[in-house]
Amino acid sequence: CGLPPLSLPQRESVPPTIFIGDVNHRCCANLESMYNIYSQASEQHKPMIMGHFEYGMIALKRSEVEVFMQETTNGGAPWVPIGRTTTDDHGRIAVPVPELYRDRPGYYRVRCVVLADFSIAYGQLFLLPKGAEVVILDMDGTITVGDEEVVRQFLAEGVGQGSRVVLQ
């Protein structure tokens, strides 16, 4: 029939691509319980920035993370670097809040940046004065990562019905 024989192109050797999942980082947000509300000058519970870093369900082990805080009470306060740490074998970090901020009650934004790929965990801290009366509500019976916004609204406005808590 006059056609040349069919030849397939040579395949190049390509290393396999491993998909480990989407960024799943959290900081100051319900890791095992509420780690984002602290009483000022509490000797038992010093304010800590807690974080957990994963891709999909795989923990980010032994990786450097830079932690930043921003005070929101002064409007456009700058982001302040708090320190650099390394995740443990479970992808967790625990960074103490600097002494400078422990004595300044307020609402703080937190960012934890993974230095290997610049992915970010977003969080928030509430440092409350000792003796502050707070109302904590749980509308649907679950406390999930997204509830901080509701908690902040109720703490800031002091409205709603629920348990009255006085921080010791």
Side-chain angles (χ1 to χ4, degrees), residues 114-151:
V114 176
L115 298 181
D117 64 2
F118 299 107
S119 55
I120 301 173
Y122 301 92
Q124 52 201 350
L125 273 179
F126 302 94
L127 301 179
L128 304 176
K130 189 172 184 177
E133 294 184 10
V134 297
V135 176
I136 299 175
L137 303 173
D138 187 5
M139 298 299 201
D140 62 357
T142 62
I143 295 182
T144 59
V145 173
D147 284 342
E148 286 86 8
E149 210 45 48
V150 174
V151 171

Side-chain angles (χ1 to χ4, degrees), residues 81-142:
I82 299 304
R84 187 176 288 190
T85 189
T86 303
T87 58
D88 65 13
D89 287 339
H90 303 287
R92 296 183 186 273
I93 64 165
V95 177
V97 172
E99 195 73 37
L100 170 70
Y101 295 102
R102 287 186 201 161
D103 296 329
R104 293 180 13 202
Y107 165 61
Y108 296 86
R109 290 186 184 100
V110 178
R111 301 291 182 264
C112 298
V113 180
V114 176
L115 298 181
D117 64 2
F118 299 107
S119 55
I120 301 173
Y122 301 92
Q124 52 201 350
L125 273 179
F126 302 94
L127 301 179
L128 304 176
K130 189 172 184 177
E133 294 184 10
V134 297
V135 176
I136 299 175
L137 303 173
D138 187 5
M139 298 299 201
D140 62 357
T142 62

